[in-house]
Amino acid sequence: MRKKIVAANWKMNLSLAEGKTLVEEIKAQLPALNENKLVVISSPFVHITQTAAQLNGVAHVYTGAQNCHQEASGAYTGEVSASMLNSAGVNYVILGHSERREYFGENSALLVKKMNQVMANGMKVIFCCGEPLEIRKAGTQNAYVQTQIEEALFGYTAEQMADITVAYEPIWAIGTGLTATSEEAQDMHAHIRSVLAGKFGAAVADNVSILYGGSCKPSNAAELFACKDVDGGLIGGAALKSTEFLGIIKAMSEA
Ligand code: PEP
């Protein structure tokens, strides 16, 4: 049975005190979770030891990070390695987010190196993919996302795919208030699963959780999460307010 996951991506937001309060508010009202219905909270690097300590002993809620460096260690001033994240209590690392691809020039070759580091250090990857608006307008989004998946994931083994969650995030929906319709999301998620099935086999593809990201909120989460191939969400803006994030977790826990 593949897992349903709601993952917060705080991006570059919140002071340490604000992050602490937010996690406490979430913990206080968590809906029922289990080993197949999980939450991940991906805070900025400086928050991680605090977030991990707050989540210590909280069942089925995991600590995430939003990036890591592609090398194991060394003279990379200002960077953070996968082994450091692991030592700080991180379980999941978001990689391939469109903001990292766009503002930091991250391409598939670099992402493969980063994913290798994350998995070599015993953590799981949340791999983001998704098309810009002009590609969606041209109707070539399936080929675009397929290329992202092929370039980044096809070098892995079927066993390694157990450590990779995919997040489909249409760039035109991230932080814009525009959301993919449930049909658009389902179509793309089914396409991603069929691409993975073509490479790794149906059984492996069936076990990969594919999250939707892009202006997901309590009002649209239930409809999105009801789609056959939508296994939860990667949440930006709505993860910064406990009531909104809890509403999305509730939608996932009831899906
Ligand atoms: C994201 O950046 O991963 C995201 C989904 O953002 P938002 O929910 O704000 O659109």
Side-chain angles (χ1 to χ4, degrees), residues 9 11 97 99 169 173-175 213-216 234-237:
N9 175 14
K11 309 192 187 189
H97 193 282
E99 289 154 13
E169 301 205 301
I174 295 178
S215 300
C216 187
L234 180 55
I235 317 298

